[in-house]
Amino acid sequence: MSRSRKIAISLVCLYLILVTCRIFYQINQNSIVRFNPDNFLYMFFGIQIGGALDDSLFFELVEFSLIPVIGSALAVFTKNNNSFSNYQQRSGYQGYLKTACLRAFGTGFGLAVLINIYQMIIISLFYSPFVYQNPSFFLRNDSGGLSLSQNSLIALVLYVLMSAIGWGSFSLLVYAVGLWIKKNSLYLVSGTLIMLLCILAPLLAKTDNKIMFVLSNVLFLPNIISPGLFYIHANQPVNVYGLYFLTLTTCLLVTVVLIRFWYLKKVQNG
């Protein structure tokens, strides 16, 4: 096993330990008074980013730094290394970009699915089992966010899938930005910096202007990380699905532009 792979596995294991500690902390803080079929949903959606039980800024910063970077760090480090010219001669810029993009998206997507399934297992074993309900009382009346569906099973599946696609796309964006970053240390925290920018900038935008109102919602990147849970303005112009796909499309378009210009610059400079 290569050194870089050992480091990546170690970081994932460390992150899972942090996830476990956070879940057990919330379980201890939210002891079940009586059995309720929606206890599982309450805990699972509550600990997500923007959920009712989300109170750990440190944990979120770890997520933003680790998940989007871990799949593309080797590619960016290789690009910043003096031996990159040798690598480029073997595979070409297109081969390098294709491999790096697939790894970045796949790692972000896979880690998101793994973490969500792991959270479900811990919650079902130590807090409350999942009980299928259609419609679910919690999802129908939850005032903390916009539900993807009132069907408990569909809501879970949709959230995991949409969030995983969001993390994969965010990982691609971080990699695309990383192509323009020459310092490895700065790239390691680029995920957090990008996410903070995409949170703070829309919050500071003037919402009395209709154009800025729409842009602030579309550019609010957590829309694709925690669909339906973390949104910037209550009176948003589109529903949760429309907002998700608009934000996702914007994220991917910016990614494509950054990668395309980097490629053209490298080809032009030889």
Side-chain angles (χ1 to χ4, degrees):
M1 185 181 295
S2 63
R3 183 170 177 267
S4 59
R5 185 166 296 182
K6 289 180 180 178
I7 294 175
I9 294 176
S10 300
L11 289 174
V12 172
C13 291
L14 176 61
Y15 180 68
L16 288 177
I17 292 174
L18 292 176
V19 170
T20 305
C21 294
R22 185 165 181 258
I23 295 176
F24 277 112
Y25 171 78
Q26 292 298 342
I27 288 176
N28 182 63
Q29 294 294 109
N30 296 271
S31 301
I32 299 176
V33 178
R34 64 182 179 82
F35 177 77
N36 186 311
D38 279 331
N39 283 335
F40 175 92
L41 295 176
Y42 166 76
M43 179 59 66
F44 176 77
F45 284 111
I47 62 175
Q48 305 304 313
I49 298 176
L53 304 178
D54 176 30
D55 58 359
S56 176
L57 178 60
F58 168 76
F59 186 81
E60 291 180 0
L61 294 178
V62 171
E63 283 185 305
F64 297 150
S65 295
L66 177 63
I67 296 180
V69 169
I70 196 169
S72 56
L74 180 60
V76 173
F77 292 172
T78 301
K79 182 263 300 181
N80 291 337
N81 193 289
N82 294 329
S83 62
F84 180 64
S85 58
N86 298 328
Y87 179 92
Q88 182 271 330
Q89 291 175 1
R90 294 195 305 270
S91 61
Y93 288 118
Q94 290 185 353
Y96 163 76
L97 290 172
K98 181 179 180 180
T99 301
C101 287
L102 288 175
R103 286 181 178 175
F105 181 86
T107 303
F109 182 94
L111 281 176
V113 172
L114 171 65
I115 292 165
N116 279 323
I117 292 178
Y118 179 73
Q119 290 174 337
M120 291 180 190
I121 293 174
I122 297 296
I123 292 171
S124 63
L125 290 176
F126 298 97
Y127 188 69
S128 179
F130 171 71
V131 178
Y132 169 75
Q133 283 197 110
N134 181 29
S136 163
F137 180 81
F138 171 76
L139 295 174
R140 186 173 67 247
N141 295 280
D142 178 28
S143 60
L146 302 176
S147 177
L148 296 169
S149 171
Q150 293 182 7
N151 182 303
S152 56
L153 180 59
I154 292 178
L156 275 176
V157 173
L158 281 177
Y159 179 84
V160 172
L161 180 61
M162 292 170 68
S163 178
I165 294 174
W167 275 112
S169 302
F170 177 49
S171 300
L172 277 177
L173 175 61
V174 172
Y175 167 66
V177 173
L179 290 173
W180 299 87
I181 297 177
K182 296 182 179 181
K183 290 188 177 182
N184 294 334
S185 57
L186 180 59
Y187 176 69
L188 291 176
V189 296
S190 60
T192 296
L193 296 177
I194 293 171
M195 182 60 77
L196 289 177
L197 177 63
C198 291
I199 291 176
L200 294 177
L203 287 174
L204 297 175
K206 294 182 179 180
T207 57
D208 54 346
N209 184 292
K210 291 184 178 180
I211 296 178
M212 291 302 300
F213 180 81
V214 173
L215 286 176
S216 64
N217 279 278
V218 172
L219 297 176
F220 194 59
L221 206 54
N223 289 328
I224 61 175
I225 302 298
S226 292
L229 293 178
F230 201 1
Y231 54 95
I232 184 171
H233 301 304
N235 298 320
Q236 44 201 358
V238 292
N239 61 24
V240 62
Y241 293 104
L243 195 59
Y244 174 85
F245 286 109
L246 284 173
T247 306
L248 182 65
T249 301
T250 303
C251 176
L252 292 176
L253 283 175
V254 173
T255 300
V256 170
V257 170
L258 289 173
I259 293 176
R260 182 62 178 173
F261 273 98
W262 183 86
Y263 172 76
L264 293 176
K265 179 182 178 182
K266 289 296 181 180
V267 172
Q268 183 179 3
N269 295 336

